[in-house]
Amino acid sequence: LIFVLLSKLADSLIQISLVVSPLSFGLAALASLLTGQIGGALILTAFAAFGIWYAVGVWHRIPFATANLNMALEAVKTYRGLIP
């Protein structure tokens, strides 16, 4: 079941992982700002900005990452080894 889900949703999973990280840092920065923790808000904002910069920089490589994930899944399916 996990192989089917990963192979069908590989593109979406990679995109979601690139979006959720900066979004969660941004929300945490907002929460820190609302509670008065300016230092934490600045650090979390920097992490969110870096995450956005990284996502924009690697977004065009998602098809390649999807192909790599699908090939790895095929190799694991073919040579199961210890996986039942």
Side-chain angles (χ1 to χ4, degrees), residues 41-80:
L42 289 174
I43 291 170
L44 289 167
T45 302
F47 285 162
F50 178 73
I52 292 168
W53 173 71
Y54 178 76
V56 168
V58 300
W59 199 264
H60 68 280
R61 296 180 185 176
I62 291 175
F64 179 70
T66 302
N68 277 341
L69 181 58
N70 286 329
M71 288 301 292
L73 289 171
E74 287 298 320
V76 169
K77 277 193 251 180
T78 303
Y79 305 104
R80 282 196 178 268

Side-chain angles (χ1 to χ4, degrees), residues 3 7 10 16 19 22 24 27-28 36 41 50 53 72 75 77:
F3 292 122
S7 63
I16 288 169
V19 170
S24 62
L27 290 174
F50 178 73
W53 173 71
K77 277 193 251 180

